[in-house]
Amino acid sequence: MKKAVTIFHLYYTCFIYVSHRHNSFFFATLKEKEKEVNLMRRIFIGCAAIFTLLFGSLVQAATFTDVGPKYERAVDQLVSNGWVNGVNTTQFGTDRPLKRLDAAVIVARSLQIEPSDYRGASSFTDVPTNRAWAVNALHEQGIINGKTSTSFAPDATLTRGEMALILQKAYKLPRGEKLPFTDVGIRYETAVSALVRANITSGLTSRSFGTDASIRRGEFALFLYRAQEDNDPSTIEPPVVVEIN
């Protein structure tokens, strides 16, 4: 929505400017007219370039062929905000399992964490350098952990239980009431109850949350969308910036 407003303002400004210049165009000399035409051409090219950058993600979000009505609004917002991309130009990968590293990057972006604030290699030896900033930031804030002290397992599938821990800690969601699920252990109890309390998600059945089940990209987009709906990132205390050497 913010990008749509920005696009409208951009083109409205261009229209007003060109209209103003057009009024004096007929009274100009031939040489002045040539300069004016070149100037207006550059203005329109610049506006078109900015329009493409701003509107590109909106178009992409609307053209995924595998995003149904259930996930459409969530995917549209996450893609439009630049938090996540599709697996290709026509598919979001709605039913594909979400990788742990992808989840870290998406959440870090949703919290408006700047990559430049967390430079340096990760303490985990298996995290790619270009995405280490996201893992560094979330790990330092206690939002996400590795599988071991040296391995993050970036390509491993994120489970529903891990998803609950990440979103509850990232958005500081308060604990809910006692759960009816029989597959939620002590480690996940607070996080799962918080998500249920906030109406972010419920169980796979009335008795099972599916703690160890893999979470799909569409589900994660929907849960993150619901989590940040009532928790504007601008109201969340920013992480303490500590440069990692």
Side-chain angles (χ1 to χ4, degrees):
M1 183 62 185
K2 290 180 180 178
K3 287 190 176 182
V5 172
T6 301
I7 292 168
F8 172 78
H9 285 165
L10 171 65
Y11 268 84
Y12 180 75
T13 301
C14 288
F15 173 77
I16 293 299
Y17 177 80
V18 172
S19 297
H20 174 73
R21 304 295 296 185
H22 182 268
N23 291 334
S24 60
F25 183 77
F26 292 102
F27 300 99
T29 64
L30 180 60
K31 189 173 183 179
E32 289 173 336
K33 287 181 179 180
E34 290 178 352
K35 290 182 178 180
E36 196 70 23
V37 169
N38 289 331
L39 176 60
M40 286 190 287
R41 183 184 294 115
R42 288 196 295 270
I43 290 173
F44 274 111
I45 291 174
C47 288
I50 297 173
F51 176 84
T52 300
L53 289 173
L54 291 173
F55 194 65
S57 60
L58 292 177
V59 173
Q60 186 183 42
T63 56
F64 291 132
T65 59
D66 61 342
V67 177
K70 178 179 179 180
Y71 303 109
E72 187 173 2
R73 180 176 294 182
V75 171
D76 182 74
Q77 177 163 313
L78 268 62
V79 172
S80 298
N81 287 344
W83 298 347
V84 66
N85 296 314
V87 294
N88 55 51
T89 57
T90 60
Q91 291 187 317
F92 179 72
T94 306
D95 293 327
R96 294 190 186 187
L98 180 69
K99 295 180 180 180
R100 283 170 51 83
L101 182 57
D102 291 337
V105 173
I106 295 169
V107 172
R109 288 172 176 167
S110 77
L111 295 176
Q112 300 178 358
I113 295 173
E114 293 294 332
S116 59
D117 291 338
Y118 287 87
R119 295 184 296 271
S122 172
S123 58
F124 301 113
T125 58
D126 55 354
V127 174
T129 303
N130 64 335
R131 290 190 165 189
W133 67 272
V135 176
N136 289 344
L138 299 188
H139 180 60
E140 186 171 311
Q141 296 303 310
I143 294 173
I144 199 168
N145 292 313
K147 290 293 187 178
T148 69
S149 60
T150 59
S151 174
F152 182 74
D155 294 325
T157 300
L158 190 75
T159 66
R160 285 172 56 88
E162 291 172 331
M163 172 277 301
L165 287 173
I166 292 172
L167 294 186
Q168 187 267 327
K169 292 176 180 178
Y171 286 95
K172 299 178 174 61
L173 302 173
R175 179 180 179 136
E177 299 178 357
K178 185 177 180 180
L179 296 167
F181 308 126
T182 59
D183 62 342
V184 178
I186 296 176
R187 179 188 177 192
Y188 302 105
E189 188 175 357
T190 297
V192 173
S193 68
L195 266 62
V196 172
R197 177 183 181 276
N199 293 317
I200 293 172
T201 183
S202 56
L204 296 180
T205 69
S206 60
R207 301 291 291 171
S208 173
F209 179 73
T211 306
D212 295 327
S214 298
I215 189 165
R216 297 175 297 172
R217 286 169 56 89
E219 291 174 325
F220 189 80
L222 181 60
F223 299 158
L224 178 59
Y225 170 77
R226 290 172 177 170
Q228 61 87 38
E229 272 282 88
D230 297 322
N231 294 273
D232 188 334
S234 63
T235 66
I236 298 175
E237 294 182 6
V240 177
V241 177
V242 177
E243 184 171 338
I244 299 176
N245 297 319

